Amino acid sequence: MPQTPFHAYYKARLLEQLPEEEQFLPVFASSDIEIYPFQIAAASFALRSPYQKGAVLCDEAGMGKSHEAMLVINQKWLEGCSRILLVIPNADLLHQWTEMLERFYTVPYVVLTSRKEWQAHSAPDHPNAFIQDAIVITTYDFAADNEEAAKVVNWDLTVFEEANALSPVYQEDNKQAKALKRIAGDSFKLLLTGTPIEKNIMDLYGVIWFIDETLLPGEKEFPARYLRRPENYPELSEQVSRYCFRTLRSQAKHYAKVTERVLLTVEYTPGKAERQLYELLYAYINQPEKKAFPEMNQYDLALRLLGLVGSSTEAILQTIKGIVKRLQRLESTAEELTQWQEIQTIAESIPQDAKAGELLTVLKQGFS
């Protein structure tokens, strides 16, 4: 049952009355940030589940799930759990996380998203760069590409940003999500997502399956029992609530400083190069053979690539560069490599997206 603002506030106040050893005092002492009651409640929800295999923090977007995760990470680190892996979808989110760590927290970390960084954090007598006396931050692609090295580590805690991308893990052809699940092993899995359900309840099924594949019925039995069957929703809610903690903006704004969102819709027309970039990506997604993504189905690849290019050219450019490097290491990929190098050239020729230009105009109007 969704918690009311009063119940969320009441729960947070109860947490404040816990014995000193059960509070986050050491974590607060090692950070420089204002923490809200719902964030304390979310982190406590995860930390108070020691016998479960993980938890999903699925607050609405913009509610500070990354800080909730850092409360858990810091607490585990201070408890002596030094094998902590933070996995983010792509390098574009890396700056946000490292900036937050540098600004608000004192826990040590190492970034592993490229061969160069791997070499910088490894040595002849220390060949596995995933073994560190620090939090290891990496990307979905880099972790999956280096699965054998990553799963050697007996991780205490694995944290996955944008975990909705892991929801197809139960499907046979989703090799990357399965690789990440193998890397996580028996660790406590902390999944962060503002959208545990994007298309239908099978998204929720996949997220929970990533944590514990034994909790819910099988892949076929689950939709038969719960899809469009409201009479069974209470049963599903009871099962899922053991793993998921969610706070809405409307709930938190009554007792926390939650920035109000004002919706402005502005139409824009992509430039010629932007349209060409989109068309090349679309054509690649629909071609029968894709050596850069041999194990990803067309639908998931479309969500990934078109979602990134829809965000910004800069957002997808880092992914394009990674694909080019990956193809350069593979054999018999000359034709596809040329194809992606052309895509990279077009992406690099775009100095500013049309959407960014309109955004700047709207920002000037909104803050003038």
Side-chain angles (χ1 to χ4, degrees):
M1 182 179 72
Q3 61 178 345
T4 65
F6 170 79
H7 286 97
Y9 185 79
Y10 177 72
K11 184 184 292 186
R13 287 292 173 258
L14 287 179
L15 291 169
E16 289 183 348
Q17 298 172 22
L18 291 173
E20 184 172 296
E21 64 271 18
E22 294 186 39
Q23 294 190 29
F24 291 109
L25 293 180
V27 175
F28 290 142
S30 66
S31 67
D32 181 26
I33 184 174
E34 181 180 4
I35 302 295
Y36 294 117
F38 69 88
Q39 294 173 319
I40 298 173
S44 294
F45 174 84
L47 289 169
R48 285 170 152 249
S49 307
Y51 304 110
Q52 294 186 174
K53 298 180 181 179
V56 184
L57 303 184
C58 44
D59 292 349
E60 194 173 356
M63 297 287 286
K65 290 183 292 297
S66 55
H67 285 296
E68 295 170 0
M70 284 308 305
L71 285 176
V72 177
I73 289 172
N74 272 264
Q75 186 71 21
K76 288 295 185 182
W77 179 265
L78 293 169
E79 290 174 1
C81 299
S82 59
R83 300 302 186 214
I84 299 176
L85 179 68
L86 170 60
V87 192
I88 57 180
N90 50 65
D92 303 308
L93 288 173
L94 178 62
H95 177 70
Q96 298 177 25
W97 277 94
T98 55
E99 183 181 40
M100 178 180 66
L101 281 160
E102 292 288 345
R103 183 177 179 186
F104 298 116
Y105 300 95
T106 58
V107 64
Y109 69 90
V110 165
V111 174
L112 291 179
T113 60
S114 66
R115 283 290 110 192
K116 182 178 180 181
E117 290 166 341
W118 178 276
Q119 293 169 358
H121 295 291
S122 60
D125 59 341
H126 180 71
N128 191 344
F130 279 107
I131 300 176
Q132 299 287 339
D133 291 323
I135 296 170
V136 177
I137 305 176
T138 189
T139 62
Y140 282 25
D141 284 345
F142 194 83
D145 289 345
N146 296 274
E147 178 188 350
E148 293 305 315
K151 70 181 183 183
V152 166
V153 184
N154 186 22
W155 300 105
D156 298 306
L157 170 67
T158 48
V159 181
F160 294 89
E161 170 73 290
E162 301 286 349
N164 45 289
L166 302 172
S167 61
V169 65
Y170 62 92
Q171 300 172 2
E172 282 299 323
D173 58 351
N174 198 288
K175 305 300 183 182
Q176 184 181 79
K178 288 187 181 298
L180 295 174
K181 181 172 171 59
R182 289 191 294 269
I183 290 170
D186 294 329
S187 68
F188 187 89
K189 305 167 190 68
L190 185 64
L191 275 54
L192 313 179
T193 175
T195 53
I197 299 179
E198 288 187 303
K199 301 183 289 292
N200 55 57
I201 62 171
M202 292 306 292
D203 296 328
L204 180 61
Y205 175 84
V207 170
I208 299 297
W209 197 94
F210 188 90
I211 294 174
D212 185 354
E213 61 270 26
T214 66
L215 175 68
L216 299 173
E219 177 184 349
K220 295 181 179 178
E221 293 82 4
F222 182 81
R225 182 165 184 80
Y226 298 117
L227 184 61
R228 300 189 184 92
R229 293 186 178 274
E231 68 275 13
N232 293 330
Y233 289 171
E235 175 185 286
L236 177 61
S237 177
E238 182 180 359
Q239 291 180 319
V240 170
S241 63
R242 292 167 48 198
Y243 286 81
C244 298
F245 190 97
R246 181 172 174 83
T247 302
L248 303 178
R249 300 174 70 87
S250 59
Q251 295 171 322
K253 70 179 183 180
H254 296 284
Y255 59 91
K257 297 176 182 178
V258 178
T259 304
E260 183 179 356
R261 290 186 168 186
V262 178
L263 177 63
L264 295 175
T265 302
V266 178
E267 294 185 1
Y268 68 96
T269 301
K272 181 179 178 180
E274 291 177 78
R275 293 195 299 272
Q276 188 178 4
L277 176 62
Y278 183 93
E279 290 167 359
L280 287 173
L281 289 170
Y282 189 81
Y284 176 81
I285 291 167
N286 286 282
Q287 71 186 35
E289 184 180 18
K290 295 175 276 288
K291 294 182 178 180
F293 299 92
E295 298 170 340
M296 184 176 288
N297 64 47
Q298 185 181 31
Y299 181 81
D300 289 336
L301 184 60
L303 284 178
R304 180 177 179 181
L305 295 181
L306 299 184
L308 282 172
V309 75
S311 174
S312 69
T313 302
E314 186 63 30
I316 197 170
L317 184 56
Q318 298 304 315
T319 297
I320 293 172
K321 291 178 178 178
I323 294 170
V324 169
K325 290 179 180 178
R326 188 187 316 159
L327 289 170
Q328 287 173 337
R329 298 196 299 266
L330 298 176
E331 297 180 356
S332 304
T333 61
E335 184 177 347
E336 189 165 322
L337 176 59
T338 301
Q339 186 179 3
W340 276 103
Q341 287 173 333
E342 180 187 0
I343 293 173
Q344 179 178 342
T345 299
I346 293 172
E348 290 174 336
S349 73
I350 302 172
Q352 177 179 284
D353 295 338
K355 182 171 69 173
E358 291 295 335
L359 176 61
L360 290 173
T361 301
V362 172
L363 288 174
K364 289 177 182 179
Q365 293 175 348
F367 292 95
S368 61

